[in-house]
Amino acid sequence: MWVSLMSCSLQDAVYVAIGRIAQSELGKIASSVVVEDDNLLLGPSSVDPKRHRAVRARHWGVQPSAELDEDLARSDGKPLCVVLPPTIRGLLSFSRICASVAERERQVFAMALSPDVMVAMPQGPDPAEEVYVDVADALQREPFVAQCSQLEIALVATLWKLWCRRSPVAISRFCASGGTFHPQLANLGRYHAGYFPRLTVQGLMLSRFDDLLLRQLSSDWIAPVKVFSNGMRAKSGLHAWLSHVGDFYVSGRLLAWSRHGRGRIIECQEHPEKSSELSRWSFRWHAGGEKILEQLPSLQVAPPVSVGGAVAYDDDRAWVCRFDVRGTPYVTRLAPADGAVGGRTALGAR
């Protein structure tokens, strides 16, 4: 059922903005607005709301989306109207919200910003670049709102439950086969699989994201701000990833590499006089470190990455990214039958 933005059904609704910019614009037309200011694409998540809040606070150092979480915990809350951008971040946030309210049978409405925008279908191993939406312009067009049925809420909630599983296999399969359910699932599937080490005919390789990121390094020192700007300009595939993760993730991931390997793969130097995390550090290859681009000697060499409920580069649970006959990436368990790279010895015995 489609209803007008200012209909009586929504006069008492709580509007959920995805991001601070959307919150600011929504505040001009609605009296009750809460914001999802957490990029759930990054870091760990949990299907249990209380534990989810705890792991997100540890991940960021602060509690994101506190007002939204408080509202979602209410048993008799007002209807929710989620303002959705055409992005995988928006889809994931929507799935979390639906999972939180599904059992309470709370009314949920979805307002699609720029519904006429065609979602780009990804080609190859990388997700499509994130679509930028002018929120102010989209709201001026007086978008209509769809009320979600309880069945639709339950289906969307399933995505969140799969995302939070310790095993990444189910969410990977769901995204690979669910293109008719939502146009962003193909992008989400490639994004998700791109954090896991790849198993190819050449053997075990870095994840797609790490491979693209580390190829920006050389024997010369480079700051994350330069890595980000170079990656956005090069159009090598990294630009699409950076549009989803942002610039600060570049600094964080490179720091994780330098600290995990204690400088044996990537060297780091600090510039304490610079306040920005994007320029406070600089990085370069340790002599011979670039060989990791040719093959990953063991999972232990790479710093782990939390993706939803799963962990990439986990030596105890060796998940790898493979490619089907169409070149679509998917995640599966690394089995001993996988030849030279299988088993404890090849993956680095403790």
Side-chain angles (χ1 to χ4, degrees):
M1 178 177 68
W2 291 89
V3 295
S4 171
L5 174 60
M6 302 310 294
S7 72
C8 58
S9 302
L10 293 173
Q11 286 180 355
D12 296 327
V14 176
Y15 287 80
V16 182
I18 309 298
R20 292 288 178 182
I21 295 177
Q23 180 191 29
S24 176
E25 294 300 328
L26 271 173
K28 299 174 183 178
I29 62 172
S31 58
S32 182
V33 180
V34 294
V35 62
E36 169 75 290
D37 59 349
D38 188 357
N39 188 349
L40 298 173
L41 295 171
L42 302 175
S45 291
S46 173
V47 73
D48 178 75
K50 185 176 181 179
R51 186 173 185 276
H52 177 75
R53 292 193 296 270
V55 298
R56 299 309 288 177
R58 285 198 297 271
H59 178 71
W60 295 118
V62 295
Q63 178 65 62
S65 309
E67 290 185 358
L68 172 60
D69 288 335
E70 181 180 342
D71 189 88
L72 292 176
R74 294 172 181 164
S75 58
D76 56 349
K78 298 177 180 179
L80 287 172
C81 181
V82 186
V83 182
L84 288 171
T87 64
I88 57 176
R89 175 186 172 185
L91 173 61
L92 201 56
S93 292
F94 187 46
S95 71
R96 179 176 89 92
I97 292 167
C98 287
S100 295
V101 305
E103 296 180 359
R104 302 184 181 94
E105 297 187 354
R106 189 172 176 182
Q107 281 188 305
V108 177
F109 297 83
M111 180 200 301
L113 293 177
S114 300
D116 55 332
V117 172
M118 293 295 295
V119 175
M121 293 302 295
Q123 301 295 324
D126 305 314
E129 190 172 357
E130 182 172 289
V131 176
Y132 170 76
V133 175
D134 186 326
V135 179
D137 179 69
L139 291 176
Q140 287 177 359
R141 298 174 184 268
E142 298 183 357
F144 280 79
V145 181
Q147 182 174 357
C148 303
S149 69
Q150 291 303 312
L151 176 60
E152 289 170 329
I153 293 172
L155 287 173
V156 177
T158 298
L159 177 63
W160 179 248
K161 294 174 183 177
L162 296 179
W163 178 264
C164 294
R165 280 189 180 179
R166 200 172 190 181
S167 166
V169 174
I171 181 67
S172 188
R173 290 175 177 172
F174 183 75
C175 290
S177 61
T180 56
F181 174 62
H182 195 285
Q184 284 286 7
L185 283 177
N187 280 320
L188 183 62
R190 281 166 170 77
Y191 175 91
H192 174 263
Y195 282 99
F196 292 86
R198 295 165 293 165
L199 186 61
T200 69
V201 293
Q202 289 80 28
L204 196 63
M205 310 287 287
L206 288 171
S207 71
R208 174 63 173 172
F209 176 80
D210 278 340
D211 183 85
L212 290 171
L213 179 66
L214 298 188
R215 288 184 185 277
Q216 300 297 308
L217 301 181
S218 69
S219 58
D220 298 322
W221 293 106
I222 186 171
V225 63
K226 189 67 173 178
V227 173
F228 182 83
S229 61
N230 288 348
M232 291 300 291
R233 288 198 305 267
K235 301 295 182 180
S236 62
L238 182 59
H239 70 288
W241 289 90
L242 296 180
S243 71
H244 296 288
V245 304
D247 48 8
F248 283 101
Y249 187 74
V250 171
S251 177
R253 188 60 184 158
L254 290 175
L255 274 173
W257 267 101
S258 66
R259 291 167 176 171
H260 182 80
R262 298 179 182 177
R264 292 191 298 269
I265 297 175
I266 293 175
E267 298 176 351
C268 171
Q269 66 178 1
E270 185 177 5
H271 310 283
E273 72 280 2
K274 297 183 179 180
S275 58
S276 172
E277 289 294 313
L278 295 176
S279 55
R280 185 178 178 183
W281 315 91
S282 56
F283 304 89
R284 70 180 181 186
W285 286 114
H286 180 74
E290 65 274 13
K291 291 181 180 178
I292 201 171
L293 296 173
E294 302 171 6
Q295 191 171 50
L296 184 64
S298 77
L299 294 180
Q300 294 176 330
V301 172
V305 184
S306 292
V307 189
V311 178
Y313 298 112
D314 185 346
D315 196 31
D316 291 325
R317 296 172 182 82
W319 311 112
V320 292
C321 173
R322 296 176 182 266
F323 299 86
D324 65 16
V325 294
R326 300 168 299 175
T328 302
Y330 66 96
V331 182
T332 187
R333 186 72 178 262
L334 181 64
D338 287 319
V341 298
R344 277 282 180 175
T345 302
L347 293 180
R350 295 177 181 231

